[in-house]
Amino acid sequence: MSKDANVILEVKNLKKYFKVGNKDILKAVDDVSFFIREGETLGLVGESGCGKTTCGRTVIGMYDKSGGEVFYKGKSVHGLSRKDKKAFTKEVQIIFQDPYASLNPRMTVADIIAEGIDIHGLAKNKKDREERIYKALDQVGLNREHANRFVHEFSGGQRQRIGIARALAVEPKFILCDEPISALDVSIQAQVANLLIKLQKELGLTYLFIAHDLSMVKHISDRVAVMYLGSMAELAESEELYNNPKHPYTKALMSAIPIADPDVEESRERIMLSGDVPSPINTPIGCKFQGRCDKCMEICRKEVPEFKEVEKNHFVACHLY
Ligand code: SF4
C-alpha cells in the first residue's frame, strides 16, 4: 500500500481471533492492512458485527493481536517497552460510543477529566491541575462551573463532551473515536462531529473514526475504509469512495444513504443487501461477501480476493477488479 513519511500509524495484516467453544474460531479481524497519516481522519465503517470496534481496539493495544503488526511512530504497539508504553498511553486516547456507560457516575466531572492528568503526573501542582481541567472544559464548549457536578446532571451530548475533554486533558496526538456519535440524538450528532473536526484542526489530532453511519463518516473523514466480516472490502479518499464506489458491498451501503435532491433520490438505483451479515465463525472459502453478492462468480467461491490498489489510492478486495 503506497504511503508517505507522514504516516503515524501502520497496520499490517492484523488478525484478532477469539476461541468460541471447544474448536470454533471467530475471526473478528482477519488480515487487515491500512495506514493513517498524521493529522488525518480515517473513517472505518461497516455493519454491526463486522469487526471494526475490535480492529480499533486491537490497533491501540487494548487487545492482544493474534497475528500481523501495528506500528505507531514506527514502534510495534504490542511490543512496547515500559517507557514507550507510558508515552503511548498518553499520546493515544479513546472516545467511547456510550457516554452513559463510560463515565463514572460517582466521580465529579473534574475528577473524571483529571484521571489521565493524575496517572501521567502532568500537573505541576493543584492550581496547574485545575487549569488543565478548565482548559479541557473550554475546549469542548463546557463551562468551568460544570467541573464540580456529576455526570447524571448532563444531557447525552454534554456527557460525550465530557468524554472528549477527558481524552484531551492528556494532550493526545491520536484518538480512537469508537462510534462517538452513534448513541446520541440525531440533532446532537452533527454538533459533536463538528466539535471533533474543530479540535482536530486546532490541535493537529489524528483520528481513527469508527462508525456505521456512512453519511457522517463522509463529513468527518479524509479517507474511508469499509470493513466486511473482519476484512477490508474497500479503502479510498472520501470523495472518491462516495462518488466512485467499486466493491459491491460499498455500492449497496452507499445506495442506502438518502440524497437531499428528490429528483436524484427518485432516479438512482437502490441495491438491497439480501440476508444478514453471516457469522464470522467458519466463514466460507473465497470471498466472504459471496452469499450476498449479485455479481458473484465461480472464482469468488474458491479464492480470497486480494486487497489491492486498483486506481491511485483506491484499494478494493474483489475479483471484479
Ligand atoms: Fe462479489 Fe466476487 Fe467481488 Fe466478492 S469477489 S464482492 S463475491 S464479485
Side-chain angles (χ1 to χ4, degrees):
M1 197 182 292
S2 63
K3 58 185 193 323
D4 49 52
N6 287 336
V7 168
I8 190 167
L9 184 109
E10 185 168 17
V11 178
K12 281 185 174 175
N13 308 105
L14 185 66
K15 298 184 177 83
K16 179 61 190 171
Y17 297 169
F18 296 96
K19 257 195 178 163
V20 183
N22 284 338
K23 52 182 171 51
D24 287 333
I25 302 284
L26 188 157
K27 296 183 175 178
V29 181
D30 195 14
D31 207 8
V32 164
S33 298
F34 60 88
F35 63 84
I36 308 182
R37 297 185 187 95
E38 193 162 4
E40 81 165 343
T41 297
L42 179 73
L44 186 58
V45 299
E47 290 163 284
S48 90
C50 74
K52 53 192 190 296
T53 286
T54 305
C55 181
R57 293 182 178 196
T58 310
V59 161
I60 65 163
M62 280 174 77
Y63 299 153
D64 287 340
K65 62 186 169 77
S66 305
E69 276 294 354
V70 182
F71 297 100
Y72 177 78
K73 293 184 173 176
K75 289 183 178 166
S76 169
V77 166
H78 296 90
L80 293 173
S81 66
R82 185 183 276 228
K83 185 166 154 264
D84 287 339
K85 183 138 193 162
K86 196 154 192 296
F88 178 82
T89 53
K90 176 187 168 298
E91 280 194 21
V92 177
Q93 293 293 308
I94 180 167
I95 300 169
F96 294 95
Q97 176 182 13
D98 187 353
Y100 299 89
S102 64
L103 303 172
N104 189 332
R106 287 181 293 278
M107 287 167 71
T108 63
V109 169
D111 285 338
I112 288 171
I113 293 174
E115 257 188 318
I117 298 173
D118 296 341
I119 288 169
H120 293 284
L122 301 179
K124 291 195 270 298
N125 49 43
K126 211 173 155 196
K127 178 89 182 118
D128 186 30
R129 182 180 188 269
E130 191 179 65
E131 285 305 320
R132 285 173 183 267
I133 293 165
Y134 288 161
K135 184 180 169 194
L137 284 169
D138 289 345
Q139 283 173 320
V140 300
L142 291 173
N143 301 322
R144 292 169 179 218
E145 296 77 59
H146 290 142
N148 293 319
R149 298 207 202 150
F150 292 87
V151 287
H152 68 84
E153 298 175 59
F154 295 90
S155 66
Q158 285 174 318
R159 288 180 204 194
Q160 196 53 292
R161 284 173 193 264
I162 296 166
I164 297 169
R166 174 174 61 180
L168 292 181
V170 292
E171 298 167 355
K173 301 240 179 300
F174 181 100
I175 300 183
L176 170 61
C177 303
D178 187 5
E179 300 216 40
I181 55 176
S182 308
L184 303 175
D185 286 351
V186 175
S187 59
I188 307 296
Q189 287 185 351
Q191 288 176 21
V192 175
N194 287 334
L195 171 66
L196 289 168
I197 292 169
K198 177 174 147 297
L199 291 167
Q200 179 173 46
K201 284 192 187 134
E202 285 172 6
L203 305 171
L205 299 167
T206 305
Y207 293 148
L208 174 56
F209 191 94
I210 295 174
H212 59 258
D213 181 338
L214 274 159
S215 44
M216 193 51 78
V217 165
K218 182 188 179 192
H219 181 57
I220 201 165
S221 305
D222 300 293
R223 292 182 300 138
V224 175
V226 179
M227 262 184 98
Y228 186 77
L229 222 55
S231 299
M232 280 291 180
E234 188 159 4
L235 192 162
E237 283 168 12
S238 247
E239 282 297 322
E240 164 69 7
L241 191 87
Y242 282 76
N243 295 331
N244 185 22
K246 293 187 180 299
H247 195 286
Y249 178 56
T250 315
K251 287 184 180 179
L253 291 180
M254 293 294 175
S255 80
I257 302 175
I259 293 175
D261 184 332
D263 292 336
V264 179
E265 174 69 24
E266 200 166 308
S267 62
R268 76 191 175 125
E269 188 195 359
R270 277 226 187 276
I271 307 167
M272 298 303 288
L273 273 174
S274 57
D276 294 326
V277 183
S279 165
I281 303 168
N282 303 327
T283 48
I285 294 165
C287 176
K288 291 175 178 174
F289 191 58
Q290 59 184 261
R292 299 169 88 190
C293 182
D294 58 1
K295 302 274 190 300
C296 185
M297 305 168 285
E298 211 182 319
I299 189 174
C300 307
R301 299 186 200 285
K302 292 181 184 153
E303 286 180 28
V304 177
E306 186 191 346
F307 186 60
K308 62 184 180 200
E309 193 169 17
V310 296
E311 280 172 22
K312 194 166 181 334
N313 299 324
H314 195 148
F315 298 81
V316 187
C318 174
H319 288 304
L320 289 171
Y321 304 94

